Amino acid sequence: MISSLFLAATALALAPLPVEDDPQALFAALVQAHDDWRLTVYPEYALRRGVEDRAGELTDSSLAGVHKRQAWCERFLEELRAVDPAKLPAADARDYFLLRRDIELGVDGFRFGAWMMPVSGRSGPHQEIPQMGDLATFADLDDYEAYVKRLQGVPGSVIGTIEVMRAGLESGAMPPKVTVAQVPLQIRAARTSMRDTLRRLMSMPKSIAAEDRARLESGFARALDPIDTALTEFEAFFITEYLPKCRESIGASDMKEGAAWYAHQLRVHTTT
């Protein structure tokens, strides 16, 4: 059955729940709940799917946000395991095992702490901010208002990322120094080019009224200085606190529970 704990965790309205003796309907409801949850907690993913309900939001990058998502996955996995795949049609049973494997890998791998290393040469605020304008179309007033709101959320997102990285510092979950040595230069490049990179608002369509255009321009301008400050603080943190504590070694065996983490990564990256 779908428990009240699961329903509270989703914070999403489901259609009338299927009867408990209908495993196929129950599994379909769980799949829908999982998809709805992803669209809710990962607004950038939703935008790439063409869902704009939370177009002005960013994923909660804070430590609390990470733990909240993990707790949801743990509760969802309990509900998923309660479904008997032997009672599902063949196609649903295949989907069940794939979904369960994906959730189990995420839940099981949380203890290794890779989530406390959210920044690399290819990921992190310094990569995400310049690409923020690529998340959605810019066709009407709502699109531009959502864009300004996303920009206004950037400083908080940077602060959340630093918070998670500090958790890594405290627990010893640190990346090899060689893999992140160039990140400060990338942060600086993102900051110095930010105003030109983000100035997509300057090409608003003529369908947007002059007063709305002026309001959006003002909001865009006000968002830039806080982003610049956040990236400056991020660069300073990375140079003075984070990079000196990164590992000199590159082997997974040098991590806490390194052998187990490596075995887990083999499971993650090999085909089913």
Side-chain angles (χ1 to χ4, degrees):
M1 63 180 289
I2 296 184
S3 68
S4 58
L5 177 64
F6 171 72
L7 292 176
T10 62
L12 296 168
L14 293 175
L17 297 178
V19 294
E20 295 179 15
D21 59 356
D22 188 346
Q24 186 175 10
L26 177 56
F27 177 59
L30 287 169
V31 169
Q32 185 62 57
H34 180 253
D35 192 49
D36 289 344
W37 174 76
R38 292 176 69 197
L39 292 171
T40 300
V41 300
Y42 299 114
E44 300 91 339
Y45 163 75
L47 277 175
R48 293 186 178 96
R49 286 265 305 267
V51 178
E52 299 183 352
D53 295 350
R54 290 175 170 80
E57 301 177 22
L58 299 173
T59 298
D60 184 354
S61 62
S62 70
L63 198 58
V66 171
H67 284 289
K68 185 177 180 180
R69 290 190 292 272
Q70 174 67 7
W72 190 96
C73 289
E74 291 174 356
R75 288 190 286 263
F76 179 79
L77 183 57
E78 292 177 5
E79 302 294 339
L80 194 59
R81 284 172 171 166
V83 177
D84 183 357
K87 296 180 180 179
L88 296 174
D92 284 350
R94 178 197 61 218
D95 292 342
Y96 170 87
F97 285 115
L98 289 172
L99 177 58
R100 177 169 166 173
R101 178 182 186 274
D102 185 55
I103 301 298
E104 284 179 337
L105 287 172
V107 169
D108 294 345
F110 190 79
R111 67 187 176 95
F112 298 115
W115 57 271
M116 288 184 278
M117 299 179 280
V119 172
S120 69
R122 298 170 61 184
S123 62
H126 57 297
Q127 298 291 355
E128 295 160 3
I129 293 171
Q131 299 174 23
M132 194 164 292
D134 299 328
L135 285 175
T137 57
F138 288 80
D140 55 29
L141 178 61
D142 289 343
D143 292 337
Y144 285 89
E145 288 184 333
Y147 181 59
V148 170
K149 289 180 181 178
R150 288 200 299 276
L151 293 178
Q152 292 170 343
V154 166
S157 182
V158 174
I159 290 171
T161 299
I162 293 174
E163 181 184 23
V164 169
M165 294 169 73
R166 283 207 165 103
L169 278 167
E170 294 173 3
S171 67
M174 302 296 291
K177 184 176 292 186
V178 68
T179 65
V180 294
Q182 298 301 312
V183 167
L185 294 177
Q186 293 176 327
I187 297 172
R188 187 173 304 173
R191 181 173 60 81
T192 56
S193 64
M194 173 191 66
R195 295 175 191 274
D196 291 333
T197 303
L198 299 180
R199 197 166 290 279
R200 185 182 290 265
L201 282 173
M202 299 302 291
S203 57
M204 284 183 281
K206 294 180 180 179
S207 59
I208 296 180
E211 58 270 25
D212 288 325
R213 184 187 298 267
R215 176 175 54 81
L216 289 168
E217 291 275 10
S218 177
F220 174 76
R222 289 196 307 272
L224 294 182
D225 282 344
I227 294 175
D228 184 273
T229 299
L231 285 176
T232 300
E233 293 175 355
F234 184 40
E235 180 185 357
F237 161 76
F238 207 98
I239 292 173
T240 61
E241 297 183 47
Y242 195 75
L243 191 58
K245 297 294 181 65
C246 289
R247 292 186 288 123
E248 297 294 342
S249 64
I250 61 173
S253 59
D254 293 319
M255 295 178 61
K256 182 180 179 181
E257 296 188 83
W261 181 80
Y262 185 79
H264 175 75
Q265 289 299 298
L266 287 178
R267 290 175 58 206
V268 170
H269 294 290
T270 53
T271 56
T272 57

